[in-house]
Amino acid sequence: MDHEQRLLDAAGDLFYRRGVQAVGMDEIRAASGVSLKRLYQCFPSKEALVVAYLRRRDERWMASLTAYVAGAGDRVPAVFAWLERWFTEDDFRGCGFANAFAELGAGSAAVRMAVREHKERLRAYLRTLAEEAGAGDPGLLAEQLLTLIDGATVTAMISGEPAAARSAGQAAAVLVHQHRRP
């Protein structure tokens, strides 16, 4: 495994588990086994490392979601089934993008952009699912589904209960039904 991957593995685990601001570069260096000099050669600033972590997280998160949903017959409900599965993982700490935005979004345009890119990518995916479901206004349905996903994620993070995904999925079913073209 190359240095960059080891750094991203360590940073990803530490940032998601403890928060970006709570983790120093020296701690990432120690956890990755990569020298501080090499760390800064790979990522010239902590902000650059955070952005790389978010982009990698986006790729992995979206790949997991889309692979799960692709195998389902009814794809919108599958999104919420996938969320429930994610919410039950031992290391679930909520949305890594929202968490990073809350910590750094006001002060870092690069972090803000990486978070927004993830949300836009998810919104576009949901729009595709809304189109497949026959929504008359797939953009509106996608926005509503995104709101349900974000709300369920925050609720599950705070409560520790994965049932928020089921509640959001039930609300999504109502919305899909209401949005179907006659």
Side-chain angles (χ1 to χ4, degrees):
M1 181 183 307
D2 73 356
H3 293 104
E4 188 172 308
Q5 294 306 312
R6 288 183 12 220
L7 289 163
L8 285 170
D9 287 347
D13 175 58
L14 292 166
F15 288 161
Y16 185 65
R17 193 166 26 95
R18 296 195 17 234
V20 173
Q21 292 182 353
V23 177
M25 295 297 266
D26 196 52
E27 189 172 359
I28 293 166
R29 179 210 53 78
S32 68
V34 174
S35 73
L36 202 55
K37 179 179 178 181
R38 176 64 72 183
L39 187 159
Y40 282 108
Q41 286 172 343
C42 293
F43 302 101
S45 67
K46 186 174 182 181
E47 180 183 58
L49 180 57
V50 172
V51 169
Y53 147 72
L54 290 171
R55 291 206 167 115
R56 183 183 198 212
R57 185 168 186 83
D58 170 66
E59 288 299 322
R60 290 178 169 188
W61 195 91
M62 288 297 298
S64 178
L65 171 64
T66 59
Y68 184 90
V69 171
D74 202 355
R75 291 162 47 103
V76 171
V79 169
F80 295 91
W82 180 87
L83 285 176
E84 186 170 7
R85 192 181 76 173
W86 177 42
F87 296 168
T88 62
E89 291 176 3
D90 290 338
D91 67 344
F92 175 73
R93 301 285 183 272
C95 177
F97 303 95
N99 296 343
F101 185 86
E103 285 191 76
L104 304 173
S108 172
V111 168
R112 199 167 45 250
M113 181 180 291
V115 170
R116 287 181 179 160
E117 286 170 357
H118 166 72
K119 292 299 179 181
E120 286 303 318
R121 186 172 177 205
L122 179 55
R123 183 181 285 110
Y125 177 67
L126 294 171
R127 182 183 175 97
T128 299
L129 297 182
E131 289 168 354
E132 290 174 4
D137 186 346
L140 177 58
L141 180 55
E143 192 62 38
Q144 292 169 333
L145 295 173
L146 181 60
T147 301
L148 288 172
I149 289 167
D150 286 343
T153 302
V154 170
T155 300
M157 178 182 71
I158 292 169
S159 70
E161 293 295 323
R166 268 178 270 140
S167 297
Q170 291 165 350
V174 171
L175 289 170
V176 168
H177 178 73
Q178 287 180 339
H179 278 275
R180 282 211 174 99
R181 285 173 270 188

